[in-house]
Amino acid sequence: MIRKPTLIAAAFCSVFASSSVLAKITADEAARLGNDLTPIGAEKAANKDGSIPAWTGGITTPLASYKAGMHHPDPYAEDKVLFTIDKSNVDKYKEYLSPGQIELFKTYPDTFKMNIYQTRRSASYPQFVYDATKKYATTAELVEGGNGIKNTAVGVPFPIPKDGLEAIWNHLLRFRGLSIERFGGQAAPTASGSYNYVGFDEQLLVEYSDPKATPEKLQESNILFKFKQKVTEPARLAGTALLVHETMDQILTPRQAWTYNSGQRRVRRAPNVAYDAPGTAADSLRTTDDFDMFNGSPNRYNWTLKGKQELYIPYNSYKLHSDKLEYDDILQAGHINPEYVRYEKHRVWVVEANLKEGTRHIYKKRVFYIDEDSWQVHVADIYDNRDQMYRVAMAHGLNYYEVPTHWSTLEVYHDLNSRRYLAIGLDNQEKMYDFSQSFNDNEFTSSALRREGR
């Protein structure tokens, strides 16, 4: 059950939930951005009891102790745990938990808990993102069927969403920087807690987020972003590589993908790198479209904007991000170590995706809980074809304040059937993300993929 829907969401849900042609927001609605709404559409005011404070801009400058290349020092290191939710009191707080989170308490009653901290609305983006959001707020629209987007660039396309599709596109196009190199890896602990680390180097070139991007340029190139991933360890997988070109109009040109197999030393087109194809070296614990909590074409689901609710979500996860931790400190049987996880109460948009009749996916229903301050999906409840809770995913986010951008430092996908999980983004003992790169297009070709693999 979705609790406490806002007037904005409730009004739009009933009118637009099943519509494929949506009304653009008016100039009067857009004028709310930066006034009673934040520049990207969140409620600026505090909630009624003050447990969620007013948004005052988020973190806009790096900490004085921060130097480029560091794992980010915690601006809230002095905050204390307000209270802990565990099996003894979970019913008291279930109003602020997703059904999937409640299932984690049932699945791991003796070990799973949530330490709740003071809410810090730290999310922020550069001014040019705010400016573009307001500039294109009245023109942005989805292509037919919601399988692409047009007449927008750089900013959040639908800061006042009228439909679940618009809300999920806000997540897909949220600002994460321009040219980013990420170092890290993943692990899928067994039921006993043992694991093997799989290392990745990743490069991301986000053409949509370039301050010089325009709707006309994006329509001409039909590219939103380019992504390249290379496996660095273990030795048996090292050199395997993936390249993805994500398109703006996926009806005109669907996602383009290529893989390089280090054993065969060949680059191949990979049209199946989408939807519910298994994720790279993930022990079948996530699908391709689980990556980044959701990615790719939304065309296999009907999307409904259910409203807003207040939810305890992983946030300001600087402790979990710390280079003082070893992976053994974080990874344990069943779930990651709850002592390093910070939960806060935030308002989230609730978006439900139901599989369309006649289409196929191993997930029949997905419910996404999207942070109003960043458009980052922070929690996803995932159901199988028997309508049973199958998986629960959580993104542990923080503000990378040198950019600034709010993004996950670790994503954890819990499989309730196997009692295992996949942790993606382990970087505590790796080089920190580099947001200062200046990649160009020739680094995201099939030839470049072959060179990366070698």
Side-chain angles (χ1 to χ4, degrees):
M1 181 176 68
I2 304 303
R3 308 164 185 88
K4 300 183 179 178
T6 65
L7 293 177
I8 294 174
F12 289 143
C13 285
S14 61
V15 177
F16 293 104
S18 61
S19 175
S20 60
V21 180
L22 306 180
K24 300 173 186 175
I25 70 171
T26 65
D28 287 343
E29 288 175 310
R32 299 178 61 195
L33 301 174
N35 290 301
D36 65 304
L37 301 180
T38 73
I40 63 167
E43 297 173 54
K44 187 179 288 187
N47 66 348
K48 287 184 179 180
D49 66 6
S51 56
I52 299 174
W55 184 81
T56 57
I59 302 176
T60 56
T61 57
L63 271 64
S65 59
Y66 172 78
K67 291 182 175 56
M70 291 176 63
H71 283 65
H72 301 70
D74 186 353
Y76 309 120
E78 300 304 313
D79 287 359
K80 305 298 183 185
V81 176
L82 298 179
F83 58 90
T84 298
I85 304 174
D86 58 25
K87 66 178 181 180
S88 69
N89 61 359
V90 63
D91 286 344
K92 178 180 178 181
Y93 298 103
K94 64 182 180 181
E95 178 180 0
Y96 304 109
L97 299 171
S98 80
Q101 290 174 321
I102 293 171
E103 282 299 316
L104 289 175
F105 284 100
K106 294 178 181 177
T107 305
Y108 306 106
D110 297 325
T111 57
F112 186 75
K113 65 180 183 178
M114 295 171 64
N115 288 329
I116 309 301
Y117 288 79
Q118 176 182 352
T119 298
R120 303 282 194 171
R121 294 180 71 177
S122 58
S124 63
Y125 292 129
Q127 186 62 44
F128 69 81
V129 174
Y130 298 152
D131 293 342
T133 298
K134 193 159 190 174
K135 179 178 180 179
Y136 297 118
T138 59
T139 63
E141 58 183 313
L142 298 174
V143 301
E144 184 178 356
N147 298 318
I149 194 166
K150 62 182 179 180
N151 299 330
T152 186
V154 186
V156 173
F158 306 110
I160 306 176
K162 300 183 178 183
D163 176 88
L165 267 171
E166 291 187 344
I168 202 66
W169 271 102
N170 287 346
H171 164 77
L172 293 171
L173 295 180
R174 71 199 189 281
F175 181 79
R176 285 160 285 176
L178 308 178
S179 292
I180 309 107
E181 188 162 26
R182 305 198 301 179
F183 309 92
Q186 67 183 30
T190 66
S192 66
S194 63
Y195 66 89
N196 294 312
Y197 179 81
V198 179
F200 297 112
D201 283 352
E202 297 175 342
Q203 298 174 346
L204 181 63
L205 177 63
V206 190
E207 296 190 14
Y208 177 85
S209 296
D210 188 329
K212 298 177 182 178
T214 65
E216 294 76 21
K217 287 181 180 179
L218 291 170
Q219 184 175 351
E220 182 179 354
S221 70
N222 200 30
I223 294 293
L224 289 173
F225 64 80
K226 297 178 179 179
F227 172 76
K228 187 168 57 177
Q229 180 190 72
K230 180 178 70 173
V231 179
T232 58
E233 58 178 300
R236 62 184 175 83
L237 297 175
T240 300
L242 169 68
L243 172 66
V244 173
H245 291 183
E246 194 75 308
T247 57
M248 186 148 182
D249 184 338
Q250 299 182 15
I251 294 176
L252 183 65
T253 307
R255 166 186 283 179
Q256 307 293 295
W258 299 260
T259 58
Y260 176 79
N261 186 293
S262 57
Q264 298 174 343
R265 298 190 177 184
R266 294 184 62 183
V267 171
R268 294 181 180 274
R269 291 296 294 266
N272 294 326
V273 177
Y275 303 113
D276 57 357
T280 304
D283 277 9
S284 296
L285 292 173
R286 74 164 177 89
T287 61
T288 294
D289 63 6
D290 274 329
F291 187 74
D292 196 33
M293 301 299 283
F294 181 79
N295 75 90
S297 173
N299 66 348
R300 293 192 179 181
Y301 290 91
N302 292 313
W303 298 81
T304 305
L305 190 63
K306 304 294 286 187
K308 271 188 180 178
Q309 77 171 86
E310 296 175 3
L311 195 74
Y312 292 125
I313 60 176
Y315 218 91
N316 291 308
S317 304
Y318 293 96
K319 184 184 293 187
L320 187 62
H321 172 79
S322 172
D323 59 356
K324 304 296 190 293
L325 296 181
E326 303 283 346
Y327 300 135
D328 283 351
D329 297 326
I330 298 170
L331 302 171
Q332 59 181 36
H335 50 79
I336 63 173
N337 190 334
E339 297 299 338
Y340 300 115
V341 181
R342 175 179 178 132
Y343 292 92
E344 301 177 0
K345 184 193 289 184
H346 287 261
R347 285 183 292 243
V348 296
W349 290 99
V350 183
V351 176
E352 184 174 299
N354 287 280
L355 191 63
K356 290 179 179 178
E357 186 175 352
T359 62
R360 191 194 68 80
H361 199 290
I362 64 171
Y363 301 153
K364 184 178 180 181
K365 183 174 81 170
R366 307 159 90 157
V367 182
F368 297 99
Y369 301 86
I370 307 176
D371 171 38
E372 67 169 348
D373 287 333
S374 64
W375 293 103
Q376 164 80 52
V377 173
H378 268 280
V379 177
D381 291 348
I382 302 167
Y383 297 80
D384 62 20
N385 288 307
R386 301 169 299 161
D387 296 312
Q388 300 296 309
M389 188 73 68
Y390 181 11
R391 290 174 176 166
V392 184
M394 286 194 274
H396 300 260
L398 56 85
N399 187 316
Y400 294 87
Y401 34 67
E402 76 273 32
V403 183
T405 181
H406 178 93
W407 199 3
S408 61
T409 181
L410 189 70
E411 295 168 9
V412 183
Y413 302 84
H414 301 268
D415 187 297
L416 300 180
N417 294 334
S418 66
R419 297 175 64 91
R420 296 183 62 195
Y421 66 95
L422 177 71
I424 301 178
L426 294 163
D427 59 10
N428 307 76
Q429 300 303 308
E430 316 299 332
K431 291 171 59 178
M432 185 31 50
Y433 295 5
D434 185 352
F435 293 91
S436 65
Q437 292 289 338
S438 297
F439 298 128
N440 54 53
D441 283 339
N442 63 18
E443 295 175 77
F444 293 86
T445 64
S446 58
S447 297
L449 186 69
R450 183 177 292 108
R451 291 194 300 271
E452 286 283 344
R454 290 173 180 170

